[in-house]
């Protein structure tokens, strides 16, 4: 096990950004950036000295600063969407940044994906990053303190642990926004990947990807991944949910949710024999297939499994609100488990 650090660049505001590379005894490597707490690469040894990077990445810090797709980043204070950029909490109405049309997405114009995180190496396999958001930042109540711990194990697991506390009651929904391609980032799309979800329900959305407040069964629909199925098999089906989102960009509800870390999603590639299992203690995950990727990436070049609370929960009476109370601590775990 080892951790090495290097300079990655200087932001447009003059802040130094570092890269940290964690390596386990199987020579699996995970590269992290202090900008956005980004997972920049996950390199898997494929034999004969060959490596496959299985997450999409940019080449430069300037690319990450201009990135509209949240590639590899930690997103929040509230991941996913807040309808109309408004919510009411403790009898007071709040207006947060509208950065996705008339709606709020992934923390606003300057969420945690745009911050340079204070970083410390805890041991030869663990890194902790810290960041803060001021009371009123992006329109949210409460001064928020967040830390995220990344640990690479010798079992080829990348463990992500989130902790947060706030000076006032505030909505909170944190996730990682890595785009996976188990065929390697040279692959043009991820449509041949096979997926299996431990989720028998999803939350339908309107034409703006805002949940309508209902849970629907996935059975007998293109959203049924209760068995291994290729992403591309039904992504272009004549389904209004798929058409409005250009494909899969939907929240799935974990089966038998018990607030403990459990298996929520699986992916595998027959081209490389790489498998990914995602574990989480959150009630949901967003499955997104890069329908809007462009520029440095191809459309649908990678897929995201964004472990999370229900989207727009603060405005949906049928969903758990996801409020972090003043004086309480938020703790959550996500594990990306690789076989290769």
């Amino acid at each position: 096990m080892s951790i090495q650090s290097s300079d990655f660049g200087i932001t447009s505001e003059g802040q130094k950004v570092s890269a940290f590379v964690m390596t386990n005894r199987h020579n699996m490597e995970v590269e992290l950036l202090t900008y956005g707490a980004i997972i920049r690469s996950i390199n898997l040894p494929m034999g004969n000295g060959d490596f496959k990077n299985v997450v999409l990445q940019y080449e430069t810090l300037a690319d990450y600063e201009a990135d509209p797709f949240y590639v590899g980043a930690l997103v929040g204070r509230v991941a996913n969407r807040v309808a109309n950029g408004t919510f009411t909490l403790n009898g007071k109405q709040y207006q947060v940044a509208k950065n996705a049309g008339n709606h709020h997405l992934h923390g606003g114009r300057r969420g945690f994906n745009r911050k340079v995180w204070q970083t410390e190496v805890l041991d030869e396999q663990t890194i902790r990053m810290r960041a803060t958001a001021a009371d009123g930042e992006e329109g949210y109540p409460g001064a928020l303190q967040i830390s995220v711990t990344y640990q690479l194990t010798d079992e080829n697991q990348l463990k992500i642990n989130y902790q947060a506390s706030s000076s006032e009651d505030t909505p909170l929904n944190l996730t990682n926004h890595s785009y996976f391609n188990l065929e390697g980032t040279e692959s043009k799309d991820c449509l041949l990947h096979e997926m299996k979800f431990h989720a028998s329900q999803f939350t339908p959305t309107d034409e703006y990807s805002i949940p309508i407040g209902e849970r629907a069964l996935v059975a007998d629909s293109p959203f049924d991944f209760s068995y291994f199925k290729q992403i591309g098999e039904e992504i272009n089906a004549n389904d209004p949910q798929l058409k409005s989102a250009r494909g899969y960009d939907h929240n799935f509800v974990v089966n038998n949710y018990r607030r403990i870390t459990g298996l929520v999603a699986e992916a595998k590639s027959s081209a490389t024999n790489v498998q990914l299992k995602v574990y989480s203690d959150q009630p949901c995950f967003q499955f997104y297939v890069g329908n809007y990727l462009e520029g440095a990436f191809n459309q649908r070049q990678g897929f995201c499994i964004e472990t999370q609370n229900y989207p727009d929960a603060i405005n949906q009476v049928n969903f758990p609100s996801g409020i972090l109370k003043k004086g309480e601590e938020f703790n959550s775990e996500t594990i990306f488990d690789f076989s290769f």
Side-chain angles (χ1 to χ4, degrees):
M1 303 290 294
S2 68
I3 295 179
Q4 296 181 335
S5 65
S6 61
D7 293 338
F8 192 73
I10 305 293
T11 70
S12 58
E13 297 178 348
Q15 294 176 287
K16 178 183 175 181
V17 173
S18 299
F20 289 82
V21 177
M22 301 188 291
T23 305
N24 72 6
R25 67 182 180 91
H26 302 293
N27 292 320
M28 175 181 169
E29 298 177 348
V30 174
E31 181 184 11
L32 306 171
L33 299 182
T34 57
Y35 182 80
I38 284 168
I39 298 173
R40 182 169 182 259
S41 63
I42 299 177
N43 286 304
L44 306 181
M46 305 304 293
N48 300 318
D50 185 31
F51 283 80
K52 289 282 187 187
N53 176 25
V54 294
V55 292
L56 302 188
Q57 66 171 202
Y58 287 110
E59 291 302 315
T60 70
L61 177 58
D63 292 331
Y64 280 105
E65 287 193 275
D67 171 39
F69 306 121
Y70 306 90
V71 173
L74 188 152
V75 294
R77 168 177 321 201
V78 174
N80 217 305
R81 293 159 179 85
V82 176
N84 301 310
T86 62
F87 62 88
T88 300
L89 178 60
N90 297 333
K92 181 179 178 180
Q93 187 174 31
Y94 291 88
Q95 178 70 61
V96 292
K98 295 182 179 181
N99 62 318
N102 195 46
H103 307 291
H104 178 89
L105 178 67
H106 288 332
R109 297 184 181 91
R110 189 175 174 82
F112 283 95
N113 62 303
R114 300 291 187 194
K115 292 180 178 289
V116 177
W117 294 59
Q118 295 181 334
T119 303
E120 59 182 322
V121 176
L122 298 185
D123 57 43
E124 61 185 7
Q125 63 188 112
T126 313
I127 289 174
R128 181 164 61 201
M129 298 184 178
R130 299 179 185 272
T132 60
D135 184 14
E137 189 168 322
E138 295 295 315
Y140 286 104
L144 186 70
Q145 296 183 333
I146 291 182
S147 71
V148 58
T149 302
Y150 296 102
Q151 181 183 52
L152 176 61
T153 75
D154 279 335
E155 290 70 43
N156 301 320
Q157 293 183 335
L158 177 59
K159 294 184 175 182
I160 306 175
N161 285 275
Y162 306 92
Q163 298 85 33
S165 60
S166 176
S167 64
E168 302 293 338
D169 293 358
T170 191
L172 187 71
N173 192 20
L174 303 175
T175 195
N176 174 266
H177 208 287
S178 290
Y179 292 79
F180 294 95
N181 190 313
L182 305 183
E183 297 174 5
T185 52
E186 66 274 14
S187 177
K188 293 183 179 180
D189 64 52
C190 63
L191 298 182
L192 295 182
H193 285 67
E194 295 178 70
M195 310 295 297
K196 180 180 179 181
F197 297 160
H198 299 266
S200 59
Q201 295 179 311
F202 78 107
T203 51
T205 60
D206 65 16
E207 64 270 31
Y208 303 107
S209 295
I210 302 297
I212 61 175
E214 299 176 359
R215 301 172 182 85
L217 294 174
V218 302
D220 302 317
S221 83
F223 296 90
D224 188 357
F225 286 91
S226 60
Y227 56 95
F228 276 108
K229 181 175 72 176
Q230 287 187 352
I231 292 174
E233 183 173 328
E234 295 186 276
I235 196 171
N236 295 316
N238 185 23
D239 180 278
Q241 286 288 308
L242 292 176
K243 286 184 175 298
S244 66
R246 298 188 187 179
Y248 296 111
D249 186 11
H250 294 80
N251 175 64
F252 287 76
V253 180
V254 174
N255 292 338
N256 305 313
Y257 176 60
R258 294 179 294 165
R259 300 180 184 272
I260 60 174
T261 303
L263 182 62
V264 300
E266 303 175 65
K268 62 182 180 180
S269 165
S270 60
T272 57
N273 293 320
V274 174
Q275 298 184 41
L276 168 65
K277 293 183 178 180
V278 181
Y279 297 83
S280 171
D281 59 7
Q282 292 295 285
C284 303
F285 61 89
Q286 188 86 3
F287 178 48
Y288 175 50
V289 190
N291 308 316
Y292 292 89
L293 287 176
E294 59 183 8
F297 309 111
N298 300 318
Q299 185 188 36
R300 298 174 176 172
Q301 190 174 352
F303 66 88
C304 303
I305 301 291
E306 304 163 51
T307 57
Q308 62 179 4
N309 187 34
Y310 287 77
D312 194 33
I314 187 68
N315 291 315
Q316 304 283 348
V317 296
N318 294 327
F319 296 166
S321 68
I323 299 300
L324 174 62
K325 296 286 189 179
K326 176 182 177 180
E328 294 184 356
E329 184 174 81
F330 171 85
N331 289 278
S332 181
E333 179 178 55
T334 293
I335 301 173
F336 296 129
D337 183 314
F338 293 90
S339 301
F340 47 89

